[in-house]
Amino acid sequence: MKAVAATLSSWHDLVAFAEASRGFFYRGQADASWPLQTSLERAYRRHLPFPAMPAIGERWALHEFKAKAHLFLKQCPGPEASFEWLALLQHHGCPTRLLDFTLSPYIATYYAVASAAGDACVFAVNVYSLRDSLQATYELPYRFGYALRDEINALHIALFNECLKSPDSAAIPHLIPLESTMPSARVVRQQAVFLAPTVLSAAPSLSSFATCLDASLGTSCNEPETISVADLLRTVSAFSHDVGFIRLTLPQALHAAAMKQLGLMWLSEETLFPDLDGLARSLVQKHLHP
């Protein structure tokens, strides 16, 4: 499985990639030097060198959130719906092992460039390759072309919930693609999906997501092969399962044009965050952004 990297030179490159690529989850990050890390990993790294067991901390945070959430929510997930609880926990600001992605390369691009102060980045993970590997690794009872998307997602959620039950389990390192069955308006607007590691590393490594990503795709995604945009487009147009991971660098010089085009698509904080927070955040772009 290949991991590749390319640097875009124009908005048209991005459009060509978006139109050609299929079967990927996308994530935009405002700094091209940032690795793919979950909010839980970032939170624990801030507190090193203290002894750190992210799985235990996540479990207790989830336990307390489930016990008290009824004070604020009219409707709660079922007691065994651990993934939905964890997604809700992250939605309201607590670090978790879930890493947000989107089905839209344009939404990922918005997140990459909207607040960037330098070169930004869009990551793409081949979800079909990920599902093939996950199915074989954990012997999940489905075959592509025969099982519906919702059936596959239900099996992925069940597997993830089992991994959450035993924080110190010897699960096989892998990423699990997940989609919420109780999506909020924000999740729907952002076409949000998640990738979650089956295991969490303890301090001092705290490299759970990267470790599980490499194990899932059978390659080192930290050192992708640099290719041209033309070669990238030929590769994704062929719908090749040989490429499991793509890192697209968006130079700062492209950001103004990208924001203009994304605005014409009606992508903004106000549309992606359909609440008072979104309205307030949108005013930064309208009135305070240089």
Side-chain angles (χ1 to χ4, degrees), residues 17-282:
F17 172 76
E19 292 180 349
S21 63
R22 295 290 184 273
F24 288 89
F25 283 0
Y26 307 91
R27 176 176 173 84
Q29 296 192 165
D31 190 322
S33 67
W34 291 344
L36 284 172
Q37 290 182 336
T38 66
S39 57
L40 190 64
E41 289 172 301
R42 295 194 297 270
Y44 269 84
R45 284 182 185 278
R46 288 196 295 270
H47 298 290
L48 290 177
F50 299 106
M53 292 293 292
I56 301 298
E58 179 188 57
R59 188 181 191 185
W60 279 110
L62 182 59
H63 174 77
E64 183 168 348
F65 186 72
K66 290 168 72 172
K68 297 178 179 179
H70 72 277
L71 300 173
F72 307 95
L73 297 175
K74 294 181 179 179
Q75 184 176 3
C76 296
E80 300 302 317
S82 296
F83 161 63
E84 300 296 349
W85 277 108
L86 207 65
L88 191 61
L89 184 64
Q90 175 153 303
H91 175 84
H92 288 285
C94 184
T96 77
R97 75 174 72 190
L98 301 177
L99 191 60
D100 301 274
F101 281 74
T102 176
L103 297 173
S104 167
Y106 294 113
I107 292 175
T109 300
Y110 179 86
Y111 282 119
V113 304
S115 59
D119 292 351
C121 188
V122 169
F123 294 97
V125 177
N126 189 324
V127 70
Y128 292 124
S129 298
L130 203 61
R131 288 174 177 173
D132 281 345
S133 175
L134 183 66
Q135 189 271 339
T137 301
Y138 280 91
E139 299 181 346
L140 298 179
Y142 62 77
R143 285 194 301 159
F144 289 110
Y146 295 87
L148 297 176
R149 174 175 165 178
D150 288 349
E151 293 178 283
I152 295 173
N153 187 54
L155 289 168
H156 289 181
I157 290 174
L159 173 61
F160 180 73
N161 288 342
E162 284 298 314
C163 292
L164 283 180
K165 285 182 180 179
S166 303
D168 56 350
S169 68
I172 304 170
H174 211 288
L175 291 182
I176 306 179
L178 299 161
E179 297 184 46
S180 175
T181 59
M182 300 176 62
S184 65
R186 184 181 297 185
V187 166
V188 172
R189 293 282 185 93
Q190 298 172 7
Q191 299 182 50
V193 288
F194 301 97
L195 291 180
T198 55
V199 295
L200 295 181
S201 306
S205 63
L206 296 179
S207 57
S208 303
F209 191 89
T211 299
C212 289
L213 177 62
D214 289 353
S216 302
L217 299 178
T219 188
S220 175
C221 296
N222 191 46
E223 299 177 352
E225 174 191 354
T226 300
I227 62 175
S228 68
V229 173
D231 286 342
L232 173 68
L233 294 178
R234 280 193 290 270
T235 299
V236 296
S237 296
F239 197 60
S240 171
H241 281 218
D242 291 338
V243 174
F245 177 84
I246 300 170
R247 186 178 70 196
L248 293 179
T249 299
L250 282 62
Q252 188 177 15
L254 301 183
H255 294 185
M259 287 301 294
K260 179 179 179 181
Q261 295 299 323
L262 292 167
L264 293 173
M265 295 177 180
W266 207 243
L267 287 178
S268 69
E269 301 290 331
E270 192 170 1
T271 56
L272 293 173
F273 295 86
D275 48 32
L276 193 60
D277 287 348
L279 172 60
R281 292 166 63 155
S282 72

